[in-house]
Amino acid sequence: MRPEILNPLFASATQIRGIGSKLEKVLAKLVNPQGAAAGNPARIIDLLLHVPHGLIDRRYRPSISELPREGTVTVEARVMQHRPPQKGSKAPYKVTVSDGAGVLTLVFFQTFGDHLSRLLPTGEQRYISGKVEWYGGEPQIVHPDHVLTADQLAALPTIEPVYPLTEGIGGKLLGRAIRTATERIPQLPEWLDPAYQQRHGWQDFAASLRALHHPETVSGVGPLSPSRTRLAYDELLANQLALGLVRRHMKRTAGRQFNGDGRLRTKIIAALPYTLTAGQTQAVSEIVADMAAPERMLRLLQGDVGSGKTVVALLALTVAAECGSQGALMAPTEILARQHFATLEPICAAAGLRIDLLTGREKGKQREETLERLRNGDCDILIGTHALFQEGVSFRDLGLAVIDEQHRFGVHQRLALQAKAGAATDLLVMTATPIPRTLALTVYGDMDVSRLTEKPAGRQAIDTRTIPLSRIDDVIDGIRRSLAKGQRIYWVCPLVEESDKVESAAAEERHAALARIFPRQAGLVHGRMKGSAKDATMASFKAGTISILVATTVIEVGVDVPEATIIIVENAERFGLAQLHQLRGRVGRGSEKSACVLLYQEPLGETAKARLTILRETDDGFRIAEEDLRLRGAGEVLGTRQSGLPEFRLADIGAHQDLMTAAHDDAALILRRDPSLRTERGEALRLLLYLFERDEAIKLLSSG
Ligand code: ADP
Ligand code: MG
């Protein structure tokens, strides 16, 4: 139960005058998009955590003769003349004002004259605040932010925060609502270490939050302002504390000791068509040691695309099987789950391991049989999507859960899964996203990490080229030559972040065009196709009955067709660096020489140009991730779609890296000294967890 003292903050935003239930819905999408998607209303706290992205300094009061080229000014002037547009004309309504030294024109589009006569009575003195523009050498202000009397001006904040807005919510309304919200901040006990707080010169939480919305200096709202850093630190600390609690909880529940005898692993390794790399062997031995230890395993396996994580997972699952327990491998997409099943089944058969597949599409009798095998222990390894942890699925004895490409799952989803996997289940999560350390901390906290740093032997560097779309005919000629040599090709269609539908339509169009040129050789997969149709196309591409696979980013993650040697990415400038790196990782998986063609639309912007250059220069996933962070800053690094990054409202991963490390260390120290948060500071920290909605972690505290 949320402590009562926080209730005013979690009350609905409709408590604020001027915000009705209709407006509240629009507001929710703006100030709490995640919550709104889940049908939750906008609350006072959401308003308070809506960070200004700039400010208007109204202290600047030049005379009209000294107006700057641009920027926001506040001018004191007398209203001279109203110049309404001709009847029926679309021209703007103009009002001229003067301060004796110069004349300024105020411009209003589609505004009623009546309203303007009241606002700007001829002959009266007014303060006018807004952005200066120059038109034919004359200064003007289009739609001033404020037209005020001296009294009204005195009531207005001199430095006014400016907030991100959305259709249907104006700046004035939002500003007023947030100002009202700041009156409701309760005084909370301090949760920061006093020495640390003092060293930074931070005010308490309530004062910092008020200062964020009532800045007193021009640097008052920037990410490095004291109020903002204090609040960002609070948010990061809540996050680290929650991760730390999850980890403690999992580590404390005694794990199982899986002392496999290696008998099945030997068979698996013998059945592989290759030998393991040194990195794979090392990762497997780290996992084997974890599983043999009495503590529960909580390990992350990080390895660049194509580094061979799947077989490491298989060997881990085999350890559980050797001990008579069961294992599950969960993939983020159905394509990937099916692919894992197809590649692992023959190898498992060779070792006598019983493996099954379960996704949302397995239905009816077949599904029942799989569930039955799971229950009575006739299945050793279950491969699937998140359907794997749905109701009705119960294992006889689940010993190990592996989550593949975990960054595709949201943080909440992951926590839920970990809870559902059962108290003693070992956990291995795998990701190809080579995220920098600071980011890894925010996502995983203190997981143990194994890294695959090398690629399997015999891989050749991928030849990466950038070609303008205007030369698409040359690319088509190139495809013709490659097909004649029996090569297989991916053609990735443009990313349309907002719309699956538009994206799929573009892919259909490209497919039709290519199918005309290369009859019977091109197939298509996109997100809006039926699962069975996707499977059929993927299977034909794998088997080589078609040689060109036109696809959207559905193939971005994990798809493995070693025979494919060319990937063409259309409108490459629309993709993020990490995403392009992932896509490129679809080729270069066999011993054949592979190529990646990045087709771009001219003219290229600076950032896009830099991105494509980096890809041409390097194939090192870590370097690419670092560059990506530098170029784009923060949250977008992992691709915006379901990045799995926690949603920070105040912390900025780019600007607050130091705070992040400090919060991590602070949380570790707190949990060492006061593991159940029982001291006075501990109680205050519980408030912090509620405040930033890390309640799941609090449940772990009470369940002991
Ligand atoms: P990822 O790490 O991207 O999940 P996969 O596990 O899909 O990589 O492996 C990529 C490809 O490399 C697969 O075709 C797999 O069979 C192959 N592979 C994995 N390990 C080795 C190895 N040691 N030697 C040669 N090929 C390997
Ligand atoms: Mg993989």
Side-chain angles (χ1 to χ4, degrees):
M1 275 286 282
R2 181 188 305 128
E4 253 168 54
I5 188 170
L6 297 178
N7 286 351
L9 292 176
F10 286 86
S12 164
T14 51
Q15 289 207 346
I16 288 177
R17 230 179 44 170
I19 298 184
S21 59
K22 219 168 170 180
L23 203 53
E24 179 276 313
K25 288 212 172 57
V26 189
L27 193 62
K29 283 204 195 106
L30 175 68
V31 298
N32 182 16
Q34 268 193 328
N40 296 327
R43 303 152 306 178
I44 305 279
I45 183 88
D46 298 319
L47 286 170
L48 291 170
L49 299 185
H50 193 59
V51 177
H53 62 180
L55 43 76
I56 299 173
D57 185 353
R58 301 204 192 278
R59 291 171 305 180
Y60 184 40
R61 305 263 180 87
S63 86
I64 292 176
S65 60
E66 297 165 345
L67 285 176
R69 294 307 309 166
E70 56 183 21
T72 298
V73 295
T74 303
V75 170
E76 181 187 359
R78 188 173 301 282
V79 180
M80 307 296 290
Q81 193 192 9
H82 277 246
R83 286 155 43 200
Q86 301 253 303
K87 251 204 157 53
S89 147
K90 290 228 167 69
Y93 191 115
K94 295 185 176 177
V95 181
T96 47
V97 301
S98 168
D99 63 356
V103 175
L104 171 69
T105 306
L106 311 179
V107 182
F108 300 88
F109 291 91
Q110 295 183 334
T111 312
F112 290 110
D114 283 358
H115 167 65
L116 291 176
S117 316
R118 274 196 306 272
L119 192 68
L120 290 154
T122 309
E124 300 265 319
Q125 201 74 9
R126 286 291 181 272
Y127 289 88
I128 296 134
S129 190
K131 253 201 208 96
V132 186
E133 285 172 21
W134 292 79
Y135 187 75
E138 304 287 332
Q140 60 176 37
I141 294 181
V142 181
H143 288 275
D145 302 330
H146 298 283
V147 175
L148 305 164
T149 62
D151 288 350
Q152 289 167 327
L153 180 71
L156 200 74
T158 45
I159 301 179
E160 187 183 325
V162 182
Y163 297 97
L165 296 176
T166 186
E167 179 103 27
I169 298 208
K172 270 189 212 171
L173 176 90
L174 186 63
R176 213 178 322 119
I178 293 178
R179 273 200 300 282
T180 312
T182 58
E183 291 159 17
R184 312 239 174 147
I185 309 171
Q187 200 58 39
L188 301 172
E190 185 57 67
W191 46 74
L192 291 187
D193 173 54
Y196 188 70
Q197 183 186 2
Q198 205 164 28
R199 184 140 43 86
H200 281 90
W202 284 338
Q203 295 179 285
D204 64 34
F205 175 78
S208 302
L209 203 47
R210 276 193 296 269
L212 184 70
H213 298 292
H214 301 275
E216 279 169 12
T217 61
V218 177
S219 59
V221 300
L224 298 179
S225 67
S227 54
R228 179 76 187 279
T229 44
R230 144 102 217 202
L231 296 166
Y233 187 78
D234 286 337
E235 183 171 40
L236 291 167
L237 183 60
N239 182 58
Q240 285 301 320
L241 213 47
L243 287 170
L245 285 169
V246 170
R247 177 184 158 88
R248 270 190 91 81
H249 179 74
M250 300 191 83
K251 284 277 178 186
R252 207 176 34 204
T253 21
R256 311 252 304 263
Q257 283 178 273
F258 290 116
N259 280 305
D261 56 9
R263 157 181 61 89
L264 295 176
R265 265 172 285 159
T266 314
K267 285 191 188 161
I268 296 269
I269 290 170
L272 293 174
Y274 47 76
T275 47
L276 296 180
T277 65
Q280 285 169 324
T281 309
Q282 169 73 21
V284 170
S285 66
E286 285 163 0
I287 292 166
V288 168
D290 274 5
M291 292 180 72
E295 286 191 322
R296 187 172 187 190
M297 172 165 81
L298 199 56
R299 184 169 284 277
L300 169 71
L301 175 62
Q302 204 175 39
D304 207 352
V305 278
S307 58
K309 294 182 291 296
T310 318
V311 70
V312 175
L314 175 61
L315 288 165
L317 292 161
T318 309
V319 175
E322 282 171 356
C323 302
S325 180
Q326 293 169 302
L329 170 60
M330 185 176 78
T333 65
E334 202 172 310
I335 287 190
L336 197 48
R338 284 177 193 282
Q339 174 188 293
H340 280 331
F341 183 73
T343 47
L344 299 184
E345 191 189 30
I347 305 173
C348 287
L353 279 169
R354 296 157 303 176
I355 178 170
D356 272 291
L357 175 69
L358 188 71
T359 71
R361 257 169 64 208
E362 269 63 46
K363 292 220 165 76
K365 189 149 169 279
Q366 194 194 354
R367 183 184 181 88
E368 283 313 311
E369 284 169 7
T370 301
L371 293 178
E372 179 60 31
R373 280 197 295 276
L374 268 185
R375 266 194 301 273
N376 63 26
D378 287 339
C379 161
D380 301 310
I381 297 175
L382 182 65
I383 311 273
T385 53
H386 56 274
L388 229 152
F389 287 95
Q390 270 160 9
E391 235 147 291
V393 183
S394 63
F395 292 79
R396 188 178 65 81
D397 171 31
L398 181 64
L400 169 68
V402 182
I403 306 181
D404 191 17
E405 303 294 353
Q406 82 78 35
H407 65 279
R408 286 264 148 171
F409 297 98
V411 176
H412 289 281
Q413 218 172 350
R414 220 176 64 222
L415 287 178
L417 283 176
Q418 290 175 10
K420 207 157 190 179
T425 308
D426 279 339
L427 189 69
L428 175 68
V429 301
M430 311 201 290
T431 183
T433 315
I435 48 180
R437 191 181 140 69
T438 33
L439 277 188
L441 272 182
T442 71
V443 186
Y444 307 112
D446 274 326
M447 269 194 163
D448 300 307
V449 181
S450 296
R451 287 214 170 85
L452 298 179
T453 46
E454 50 177 347
K455 298 260 168 88
R459 298 273 173 85
Q460 298 193 36
I462 300 166
D463 179 16
T464 302
R465 289 184 201 180
T466 49
I467 299 180
L469 265 168
S470 53
R471 282 178 46 208
I472 194 166
D473 288 344
D474 296 352
V475 175
I476 302 279
D477 285 342
I479 293 182
R480 198 171 281 121
R481 285 193 299 275
S482 307
L483 290 177
K485 283 189 268 176
Q487 289 180 298
R488 255 172 264 174
I489 300 163
Y490 292 105
W491 184 297
V492 182
C493 292
L495 179 72
V496 184
E497 193 74 53
E498 314 75 43
S499 167
D500 220 20
K501 194 162 155 192
V502 177
E503 188 170 284
S504 300
E508 271 163 11
E509 214 166 285
R510 176 58 68 200
H511 172 253
L514 287 170
R516 246 175 277 129
I517 309 173
F518 305 108
R520 287 182 305 282
Q521 299 199 68
L524 171 69
V525 288
H526 62 62
R528 290 167 68 89
M529 275 163 63
K530 264 202 153 133
S532 54
K534 273 191 252 179
D535 290 353
T537 311
M538 287 306 300
S540 323
F541 187 59
K542 215 160 190 161
T545 40
I546 55 168
S547 311
I548 305 174
L549 184 67
V550 180
T552 56
T553 47
V554 291
I555 62 144
E556 174 187 337
V557 165
V559 166
D560 184 43
V561 180
E563 296 81 5
T565 50
I566 299 175
I567 185 161
I568 295 160
V569 184
E570 195 174 334
N571 286 108
E573 75 282 355
R574 291 197 204 162
F575 293 82
L577 250 186
Q579 206 169 18
L580 287 172
H581 179 61
Q582 285 275 346
L583 283 167
R584 180 169 60 180
R586 296 311 114 219
V587 299
R589 297 186 150 238
S591 51
E592 292 299 313
K593 178 105 189 123
S594 293
C596 168
V597 178
L598 303 172
L599 278 176
Y600 63 88
Q601 182 74 57
E602 289 168 299
L604 268 187
E606 280 306 310
T607 317
K609 197 180 279 172
R611 258 190 244 148
L612 299 187
T613 308
I614 291 161
L615 278 171
R616 255 198 339 247
E617 281 172 1
T618 181
D619 189 30
D620 175 348
F622 275 94
R623 179 156 166 234
I624 289 173
E626 302 273 340
E627 292 288 335
D628 206 14
L629 187 61
R630 196 176 56 75
L631 281 177
R632 290 206 286 174
E636 284 181 87
V637 169
L638 305 181
T640 43
R641 281 186 185 176
Q642 297 166 25
S643 65
L645 266 184
E647 296 270 330
F648 289 125
R649 293 168 151 200
L650 298 153
D652 173 332
I653 293 166
H656 297 142
Q657 304 219 5
D658 295 347
L659 291 182
M660 214 168 283
T661 325
H664 169 257
D665 296 345
D666 199 3
L669 191 65
I670 291 167
L671 291 177
R672 230 178 3 255
R673 288 187 182 155
D674 181 18
S676 16
L677 301 184
R678 279 287 161 226
T679 61
E680 203 182 331
R681 186 178 175 205
E683 293 289 345
L685 285 160
R686 286 174 180 241
L687 290 178
L688 175 70
L689 288 169
Y690 276 109
L691 210 46
F692 287 100
E693 297 177 80
R694 298 297 198 270
D695 318 17
E696 285 117 334
I698 295 185
K699 282 188 209 117
L700 296 180
L701 270 178
S702 45
S703 69

Short mmCIF file of all heavy atoms in Angstrom, two decimals, residues 303-311 336 339-340 404-405 430-432 557-560 582 586 589, ligand 2:
data_model
loop_
_atom_site.label_atom_id
_atom_site.label_comp_id
_atom_site.label_asym_id
_atom_site.label_seq_id
_atom_site.Cartn_x
_atom_site.Cartn_y
_atom_site.Cartn_z
N GLY A 303 26.92 -10.92 -26.46
CA GLY A 303 27.78 -11.26 -27.59
C GLY A 303 27.23 -10.63 -28.84
O GLY A 303 26.02 -10.66 -29.08
N ASP A 304 28.11 -10.06 -29.62
CA ASP A 304 27.70 -9.36 -30.82
C ASP A 304 26.91 -10.31 -31.74
O ASP A 304 26.98 -11.53 -31.59
CB ASP A 304 28.97 -8.86 -31.54
CG ASP A 304 28.67 -7.63 -32.38
OD1 ASP A 304 27.49 -7.27 -32.52
OD2 ASP A 304 29.64 -7.04 -32.88
N VAL A 305 26.20 -9.72 -32.68
CA VAL A 305 25.44 -10.54 -33.63
C VAL A 305 26.36 -11.56 -34.27
O VAL A 305 27.46 -11.25 -34.68
CB VAL A 305 24.79 -9.69 -34.75
CG1 VAL A 305 23.51 -9.10 -34.27
CG2 VAL A 305 25.73 -8.61 -35.23
N GLY A 306 25.87 -12.79 -34.35
CA GLY A 306 26.63 -13.84 -35.03
C GLY A 306 27.75 -14.44 -34.21
O GLY A 306 28.53 -15.24 -34.70
N SER A 307 27.83 -14.07 -32.93
CA SER A 307 28.94 -14.59 -32.13
C SER A 307 28.65 -16.01 -31.62
O SER A 307 29.52 -16.64 -31.04
CB SER A 307 29.24 -13.65 -30.97
OG SER A 307 28.10 -13.49 -30.17
N GLY A 308 27.43 -16.49 -31.83
CA GLY A 308 27.13 -17.87 -31.46
C GLY A 308 26.62 -18.06 -30.05
O GLY A 308 27.06 -18.94 -29.32
N LYS A 309 25.63 -17.26 -29.66
CA LYS A 309 25.08 -17.37 -28.32
C LYS A 309 24.16 -18.58 -28.17
O LYS A 309 24.06 -19.17 -27.11
CB LYS A 309 24.30 -16.09 -27.95
CG LYS A 309 25.18 -14.86 -27.84
CD LYS A 309 24.40 -13.62 -27.43
CE LYS A 309 23.43 -13.13 -28.49
NZ LYS A 309 24.08 -12.66 -29.72
N THR A 310 23.47 -18.93 -29.28
CA THR A 310 22.45 -19.97 -29.18
C THR A 310 23.00 -21.29 -28.65
O THR A 310 22.39 -21.94 -27.81
CB THR A 310 21.80 -20.22 -30.56
OG1 THR A 310 21.59 -18.95 -31.17
CG2 THR A 310 20.49 -20.93 -30.43
N VAL A 311 24.17 -21.66 -29.16
CA VAL A 311 24.71 -22.96 -28.76
C VAL A 311 25.15 -22.94 -27.29
O VAL A 311 25.06 -23.95 -26.58
CB VAL A 311 25.85 -23.41 -29.72
CG1 VAL A 311 27.08 -22.55 -29.54
CG2 VAL A 311 26.18 -24.87 -29.49
N LEU A 336 11.82 -16.15 -34.62
CA LEU A 336 13.04 -16.55 -33.93
C LEU A 336 12.83 -17.84 -33.14
O LEU A 336 13.69 -18.73 -33.15
CB LEU A 336 13.49 -15.41 -33.01
CG LEU A 336 14.92 -15.46 -32.53
CD1 LEU A 336 15.89 -15.72 -33.66
CD2 LEU A 336 15.28 -14.16 -31.83
N GLN A 339 12.83 -20.65 -35.55
CA GLN A 339 14.18 -20.89 -36.06
C GLN A 339 15.03 -21.64 -35.02
O GLN A 339 15.72 -22.59 -35.36
CB GLN A 339 14.82 -19.55 -36.39
CG GLN A 339 16.27 -19.68 -36.80
CD GLN A 339 16.91 -18.31 -36.93
OE1 GLN A 339 16.57 -17.54 -37.81
NE2 GLN A 339 17.82 -18.02 -36.03
N HIS A 340 14.95 -21.21 -33.77
CA HIS A 340 15.71 -21.90 -32.72
C HIS A 340 15.30 -23.37 -32.68
O HIS A 340 16.14 -24.25 -32.59
CB HIS A 340 15.44 -21.27 -31.35
CG HIS A 340 16.22 -20.02 -31.10
ND1 HIS A 340 17.44 -19.78 -31.67
CD2 HIS A 340 15.94 -18.94 -30.33
CE1 HIS A 340 17.89 -18.60 -31.25
NE2 HIS A 340 16.99 -18.06 -30.45
N ASP A 404 16.25 -14.98 -24.66
CA ASP A 404 17.09 -14.58 -25.78
C ASP A 404 16.73 -13.16 -26.21
O ASP A 404 15.57 -12.77 -26.18
CB ASP A 404 16.90 -15.55 -26.95
CG ASP A 404 17.94 -15.32 -28.04
OD1 ASP A 404 18.97 -14.68 -27.79
OD2 ASP A 404 17.70 -15.79 -29.18
N GLU A 405 17.72 -12.42 -26.64
CA GLU A 405 17.53 -11.04 -27.11
C GLU A 405 16.66 -10.28 -26.11
O GLU A 405 15.67 -9.67 -26.47
CB GLU A 405 16.86 -11.03 -28.49
CG GLU A 405 17.61 -11.81 -29.55
CD GLU A 405 18.97 -11.21 -29.91
OE1 GLU A 405 19.28 -10.10 -29.44
OE2 GLU A 405 19.71 -11.86 -30.64
N MET A 430 20.26 -13.28 -22.61
CA MET A 430 21.24 -13.08 -23.67
C MET A 430 20.88 -11.82 -24.47
O MET A 430 19.71 -11.54 -24.70
CB MET A 430 21.22 -14.27 -24.63
CG MET A 430 21.27 -15.61 -23.91
SD MET A 430 21.84 -16.94 -24.96
CE MET A 430 20.46 -17.14 -26.07
N THR A 431 21.89 -11.09 -24.85
CA THR A 431 21.61 -9.95 -25.70
C THR A 431 22.75 -9.73 -26.69
O THR A 431 23.91 -9.98 -26.38
CB THR A 431 21.37 -8.67 -24.89
OG1 THR A 431 21.04 -7.61 -25.80
CG2 THR A 431 22.59 -8.25 -24.09
N ALA A 432 22.38 -9.27 -27.87
CA ALA A 432 23.38 -8.94 -28.88
C ALA A 432 23.70 -7.47 -28.81
O ALA A 432 24.60 -7.00 -29.47
CB ALA A 432 22.85 -9.28 -30.27
N VAL A 557 16.23 -9.15 -35.66
CA VAL A 557 16.78 -9.85 -34.51
C VAL A 557 16.93 -11.34 -34.75
O VAL A 557 15.97 -12.02 -35.08
CB VAL A 557 15.87 -9.62 -33.28
CG1 VAL A 557 16.19 -10.61 -32.19
CG2 VAL A 557 16.08 -8.21 -32.77
N GLY A 558 18.15 -11.82 -34.65
CA GLY A 558 18.40 -13.25 -34.53
C GLY A 558 18.26 -14.13 -35.75
O GLY A 558 18.70 -15.27 -35.73
N VAL A 559 17.64 -13.63 -36.83
CA VAL A 559 17.40 -14.53 -37.97
C VAL A 559 18.72 -15.05 -38.52
O VAL A 559 19.68 -14.31 -38.70
CB VAL A 559 16.58 -13.81 -39.06
CG1 VAL A 559 16.61 -14.59 -40.36
CG2 VAL A 559 15.16 -13.61 -38.59
N ASP A 560 18.78 -16.35 -38.74
CA ASP A 560 20.04 -17.00 -39.09
C ASP A 560 19.90 -17.87 -40.33
O ASP A 560 19.37 -18.96 -40.28
CB ASP A 560 20.49 -17.85 -37.89
CG ASP A 560 21.86 -18.48 -38.13
OD1 ASP A 560 22.75 -17.79 -38.64
OD2 ASP A 560 22.02 -19.68 -37.80
N GLN A 582 22.81 -4.54 -36.38
CA GLN A 582 22.04 -5.79 -36.21
C GLN A 582 21.65 -6.36 -37.56
O GLN A 582 21.76 -7.56 -37.80
CB GLN A 582 20.75 -5.52 -35.44
CG GLN A 582 20.94 -5.31 -33.97
CD GLN A 582 20.96 -6.63 -33.23
OE1 GLN A 582 20.58 -7.66 -33.77
NE2 GLN A 582 21.44 -6.60 -32.00
N ARG A 586 22.92 -10.10 -40.20
CA ARG A 586 22.20 -11.22 -40.84
C ARG A 586 23.07 -11.91 -41.88
O ARG A 586 22.80 -13.03 -42.28
CB ARG A 586 20.91 -10.75 -41.55
CG ARG A 586 19.81 -10.17 -40.69
CD ARG A 586 19.47 -11.02 -39.52
NE ARG A 586 19.83 -10.33 -38.31
CZ ARG A 586 20.36 -10.91 -37.24
NH1 ARG A 586 20.58 -12.19 -37.23
NH2 ARG A 586 20.68 -10.20 -36.19
N ARG A 589 27.55 -14.91 -41.91
CA ARG A 589 27.37 -15.96 -40.91
C ARG A 589 27.95 -17.28 -41.38
O ARG A 589 27.96 -18.25 -40.64
CB ARG A 589 25.89 -16.14 -40.60
CG ARG A 589 25.32 -14.89 -40.00
CD ARG A 589 23.90 -15.06 -39.53
NE ARG A 589 23.75 -14.16 -38.40
CZ ARG A 589 23.38 -14.54 -37.19
NH1 ARG A 589 23.08 -15.78 -36.95
NH2 ARG A 589 23.30 -13.67 -36.22
MG MG B 2 20.68 -15.17 -31.48
#
